[in-house]
Amino acid sequence: MSEGAWLLHPQLAADTTHVGDLALSRLLAINAADYPWLILVPRRTGVVELADLGGDAFPLTAEIGVVSLALKELTRCDKINIAAIGNVVPQLHVHIVARRKTDPLWPEPVFGVTPLPRAKEAAFERFVDKVRKKLGAAQVR
Amino acid sequence: MSEGAWLLHPQLAADTTHVGDLALSRLLAINAADYPWLILVPRRTGVVELADLGGDAFPLTAEIGVVSLALKELTRCDKINIAAIGNVVPQLHVHIVARRKTDPLWPEPVFGVTPLPRAKEAAFERFVDKVRKKLGAAQVR
């Protein structure tokens, strides 16, 4: 459960952009045009299920709350969708996705839907930059 | 955020069986043949997003952990899938589903897949009873 030898799973590294590191978790972003999409990955080795985190489940909860609120304020979305699935990538990771009543899949869940159209790279970079600024230099390091 | 006037959303009441009440949340079960499926609903009024719970997000996390472990031990599943979506039913509710590598949808998420075949009523009742016993009289009241 230490941070020492922690490495981001290569599939998550390949599919995402690094937004920053919170106290416990690495914050990542996925480029999906209609679904502003962040992922939290606790920097703890060998953690697959939420319950594997032990007491670190509580700071993860706090970080899910902070990131959810930031995402909701930035996107003015109608609903935040949160999921820890991990059937393909076992390293515990929590999806936090902004949903709008006008998005193409509403009200269906977006988890597991593939492929999803990507945003233009510049728009995605602006989104990532806004998230970084919103969460603040004190939190994202 | 008080418990006073809390009522289970009628759609959740219609779709589930009441397993018991934990300290914060009502524990429900959905009858889906291949997917042992529990739902936690914090007994707090007006809560839609996880962040709306404030400090009650922490006991909810503890209850997700306890219920996940119980479900994993009971079903000997390969993975627990957890999600808070709420695009249709706004009252905050957390799905906790046991997944097996041999189940019909593996590794795809089961959230939003409908209709799902139901188990025979007697088998479902045995499952609910096992969950009740596993979580113990001290916790399920």
Side-chain angles (χ1 to χ4, degrees):
Chain A
M1 307 284 166
S2 72
E3 190 174 342
W6 183 83
L7 279 176
L8 184 64
H9 189 287
Q11 190 65 53
L12 287 172
D15 294 346
T16 67
T17 290
H18 185 181
V19 180
D21 280 358
L22 307 184
L24 174 68
S25 308
R26 177 148 301 174
L27 181 61
L28 308 169
I30 283 192
N31 183 338
D34 300 303
Y35 311 94
W37 193 315
L38 300 173
I39 294 178
L40 282 170
V41 189
R43 297 190 306 281
R44 294 291 180 268
T45 58
V47 170
V48 174
E49 303 288 2
L50 180 75
D52 297 338
L53 271 178
D56 281 332
F58 299 103
L60 175 60
T61 299
E63 292 179 352
I64 293 169
V66 165
V67 170
S68 300
L69 280 176
L71 187 60
K72 190 151 195 180
E73 287 177 25
L74 277 176
T75 62
R76 301 180 187 196
C77 65
D78 296 301
K79 188 71 187 70
I80 294 289
N81 288 181
I82 301 172
I85 298 172
N87 299 346
V88 176
V89 173
Q91 182 176 62
L92 178 66
H93 57 288
V94 179
H95 301 275
I96 304 174
V97 185
R99 300 297 306 274
R100 294 187 186 92
K101 291 179 181 176
T102 55
D103 74 38
L105 286 166
W106 181 271
E108 294 305 314
V110 68
F111 305 116
V113 177
T114 178
L116 290 170
R118 291 168 65 89
K120 287 187 179 157
E121 211 51 44
F124 180 59
E125 280 169 24
R126 277 197 303 277
F127 165 66
V128 168
D129 197 49
K130 276 185 197 167
V131 175
R132 273 195 196 112
K133 281 186 177 136
K134 182 87 181 167
L135 288 171
Q139 287 175 307
V140 179
R141 48 185 183 173
Chain B
M1 306 285 166
S2 72
E3 190 174 343
W6 183 84
L7 280 176
L8 184 64
H9 189 287
Q11 190 65 53
L12 287 173
D15 294 346
T16 67
T17 290
H18 184 181
V19 180
D21 279 359
L22 307 184
L24 173 67
S25 309
R26 177 148 302 174
L27 181 60
L28 308 169
I30 282 192
N31 182 339
D34 301 302
Y35 310 95
W37 194 315
L38 300 172
I39 294 179
L40 282 170
V41 188
R43 296 190 305 279
R44 294 291 180 267
T45 57
V47 170
V48 174
E49 303 287 3
L50 180 75
D52 297 339
L53 271 178
D56 280 334
F58 299 103
L60 175 60
T61 299
E63 291 179 351
I64 293 170
V66 165
V67 170
S68 299
L69 280 176
L71 187 59
K72 189 152 196 179
E73 287 177 23
L74 277 176
T75 62
R76 300 180 188 198
C77 66
D78 296 301
K79 188 71 187 71
I80 294 290
N81 288 181
I82 300 171
I85 299 173
N87 300 346
V88 176
V89 173
Q91 182 176 62
L92 178 66
H93 58 287
V94 179
H95 300 274
I96 304 174
V97 184
R99 300 297 307 275
R100 295 187 186 92
K101 291 179 182 176
T102 54
D103 75 37
L105 284 166
W106 181 270
E108 293 306 313
V110 69
F111 306 115
V113 177
T114 177
L116 290 170
R118 291 168 65 91
K120 288 187 179 158
E121 211 51 44
F124 179 60
E125 280 169 24
R126 277 197 303 276
F127 165 68
V128 169
D129 198 49
K130 276 185 198 167
V131 175
R132 272 195 197 113
K133 282 188 178 135
K134 181 88 181 167
L135 288 170
Q139 286 175 307
V140 179
R141 48 186 183 171

